[in-house]
Amino acid sequence: TVDNATAVGFLRYKGIQPFSPPHLTATPPINATAVTAAFAGCLRSLNSPNYPAAVPQTVDHSLLFAIGVGINPCPTCVNGTKTVADINNVSFVLPTVALLQAHYFKLQGIFTDDFPANPPSPYNYTGNPPANLQTTNGTKVYRLGFNETVEVVLQGTSLIAPESHPIHLHGFNFFVVGKGLGNFDKGKDLSSFNLVDPVERNTMSVPTAGWTAIRFRADNPGKTM
């Protein structure tokens, strides 16, 4: 299911002299998990007086988002079902009015603010999937107060098609404070978080059958994720 074609590109800034053709090394195989983990684990922010890393040391909201795929009924589909994406067993229903517009004008019936902070029915996320793969559907949001600190653990799952999930946070940079394979274990994994000089970015990847933890401060009002 993955296009394993390899391409190489080079970026040269204006004013920099052209360089001679480089000698390319062999690209690691597509399943080189250890190589990827080792490389990502070496990345650090500067955390200097000029470039401080303002990592939230405490959090007001501790969230666990399980990223999954489900199967919902579909009368018009060939086999009567369709594959859907979900987080914490909620498949997003696109509203007829933009969420931010609905919030600003206090429009009723566009969304609800009951998005679950944790999976409603915990299971072995990277093990055998549950028998029932049907999701709930809704336009749900999770509200944050201005300037509150947030920790989100994004948990990959083994449902139907395990894969690496790219995640982007609109309007924010965040700190990647932890990452691992398997199921996130708060009692064990929390102690390994890097709260000193973690990488700061706005997009990152949740590893296949693994998890990534981020922290940020909600100081940019609006709609994110």
Side-chain angles (χ1 to χ4, degrees):
T1 60
V2 178
D3 182 358
N4 61 1
T6 301
V8 177
F10 295 95
L11 175 67
R12 182 165 61 87
Y13 290 96
K14 183 178 180 180
I16 301 299
Q17 295 300 316
F19 43 78
S20 59
H23 298 284
L24 301 179
T25 60
T27 303
I30 196 171
N31 61 348
T33 304
V35 176
T36 302
F39 175 80
C42 291
L43 300 177
R44 296 287 187 272
S45 65
L46 295 177
N47 193 18
S48 65
N50 291 332
Y51 304 99
V55 189
Q57 298 298 304
T58 60
V59 293
D60 299 309
H61 298 264
S62 181
L63 312 176
L64 175 64
F65 288 174
I67 306 169
V69 179
I71 298 178
N72 283 353
C74 177
T76 60
C77 298
V78 174
N79 61 355
T81 61
K82 63 179 179 180
T83 304
V84 296
D86 70 89
I87 295 180
N88 283 1
N89 204 46
V90 177
S91 291
F92 182 68
V93 175
L94 193 68
T96 55
V97 178
L99 294 179
L100 199 56
Q101 182 180 359
H103 166 74
Y104 184 82
F105 289 106
K106 298 181 172 59
L107 304 179
Q108 302 299 312
I110 305 300
F111 65 85
T112 59
D113 56 2
D114 56 347
F115 188 88
N118 294 275
S121 301
Y123 60 96
N124 183 1
Y125 306 112
T126 57
N128 294 325
N132 183 8
L133 295 181
Q134 185 170 339
T135 72
T136 60
N137 305 293
T139 309
K140 301 174 183 287
V141 303
Y142 185 94
R143 289 187 182 271
L144 301 172
F146 178 71
N147 221 33
E148 289 184 325
T149 54
V150 187
E151 175 183 285
V152 184
V153 176
L154 295 144
Q155 174 70 61
T157 66
S158 60
L159 300 178
I160 301 179
E163 61 181 353
S164 174
H165 294 276
I167 297 292
H168 172 70
L169 198 61
H170 294 293
F172 291 93
N173 283 353
F174 54 79
F175 294 97
V176 182
V177 297
K179 181 178 289 189
L181 299 177
N183 297 333
F184 175 72
D185 184 337
K186 188 171 184 178
K188 179 186 67 175
D189 295 322
L190 198 62
S191 62
S192 66
F193 280 10
N194 177 8
L195 302 180
V196 178
D197 57 355
V199 172
E200 183 178 1
R201 37 177 66 167
N202 59 36
T203 305
M204 54 79 194
S205 176
V206 179
T208 303
W211 57 270
T212 297
I214 66 173
R215 287 190 180 187
F216 66 97
R217 182 176 294 276
D219 56 3
N220 184 14
K223 179 175 68 72
T224 186
M225 272 286 193

